[in-house]
Amino acid sequence: TWGIIKKSVQDDFGWDNVTLGRLDACFPLTYGIGSIPSGIACDWFGARLFLVLIALLWSLSLGWTSIAATKWGMAASRLSLGLTQSGCYPTLGKISKDWFPRTNRAFAQALSTASGRLGGAAACVVVPILMVSFELSWRSSLAVLTLLGVALAMAVFLLCGSSPREHRWVNQEGA
């Protein structure tokens, strides 16, 4: 979403390209720093709970971006977004290990990776539709995505189990 809204943000705040470049760097900085600690936290808290938590927090971080009023607030939201999203792939790796037999794990991990890429691509389609077709501002468009992300986190919490043995939709053969 940042790549799509960045020009609108620049226009609204009157920030120069150097400021935008610094804001660009915030996300990958904390994403890189947070990946290993996120994998450890996933092991401590469990994949389901941690996935729900980070999905909720990165959705709220996106919402924070929509209400940021200064470059420091925007930087903090971008840093938070990178840190909270950094746990996604380690957690999905843990889920693949716990839920799929060894022979199917590579395929499951490929689907996880593809779904992450499709989610990012969906934002590249949804945000322009919200901004152009529905005439929403970049802030309102991010608010819509925030609400969708919170709803998705709650759906994962309600529908997904911590392990195949604990999930009500999985029979003995699948566990």
Side-chain angles (χ1 to χ4, degrees):
T1 58
W2 179 249
I4 296 166
I5 67 165
K6 186 167 46 173
K7 179 67 175 135
S8 297
V9 170
Q10 183 177 35
D11 292 345
D12 282 1
F13 289 104
W15 292 335
D16 60 17
N17 288 336
V18 172
T19 299
L20 285 180
R22 289 179 177 147
L23 292 171
D24 281 341
C26 290
F27 178 92
L29 174 70
T30 52
Y31 190 97
I33 290 170
S35 292
I36 292 172
S38 291
I40 294 167
C42 172
D43 286 341
W44 285 346
F45 298 109
R48 174 180 170 245
L49 180 61
F50 193 67
L51 183 60
V52 168
L53 179 66
I54 61 173
L56 182 62
L57 290 176
W58 89 55
S59 296
L60 295 175
S61 295
L62 187 63
W64 184 0
T65 303
S66 75
I67 62 170
T70 66
K71 65 181 171 186
W72 298 109
M74 189 67 72
S77 73
R78 301 272 306 141
L79 289 165
S80 175
L81 195 59
L83 186 62
T84 55
Q85 281 193 8
S86 70
C88 187
Y89 286 114
T91 304
L92 292 175
K94 172 82 168 147
I95 289 169
S96 294
K97 178 186 169 290
D98 291 347
W99 279 78
F100 295 93
R102 184 180 303 267
T103 55
N104 295 349
R105 282 187 202 152
F107 181 71
Q109 195 63 33
L111 286 178
S112 295
T113 301
S115 66
R117 300 295 182 244
L118 287 174
C124 294
V125 173
V126 172
V127 171
I129 288 172
L130 292 172
M131 291 177 71
V132 174
S133 299
F134 293 95
E135 298 181 4
L136 295 179
S137 68
W138 65 268
R139 291 180 187 273
S140 297
S141 297
L142 293 187
V144 169
L145 291 181
T146 298
L147 294 174
L148 290 172
V150 169
L152 179 62
M154 293 300 99
V156 168
F157 179 75
L158 294 172
L159 298 175
C160 298
S162 296
S163 73
R165 288 173 295 291
E166 297 173 16
H167 199 282
R168 64 184 174 272
W169 297 343
V170 177
N171 61 25
Q172 279 299 90
E173 207 173 288

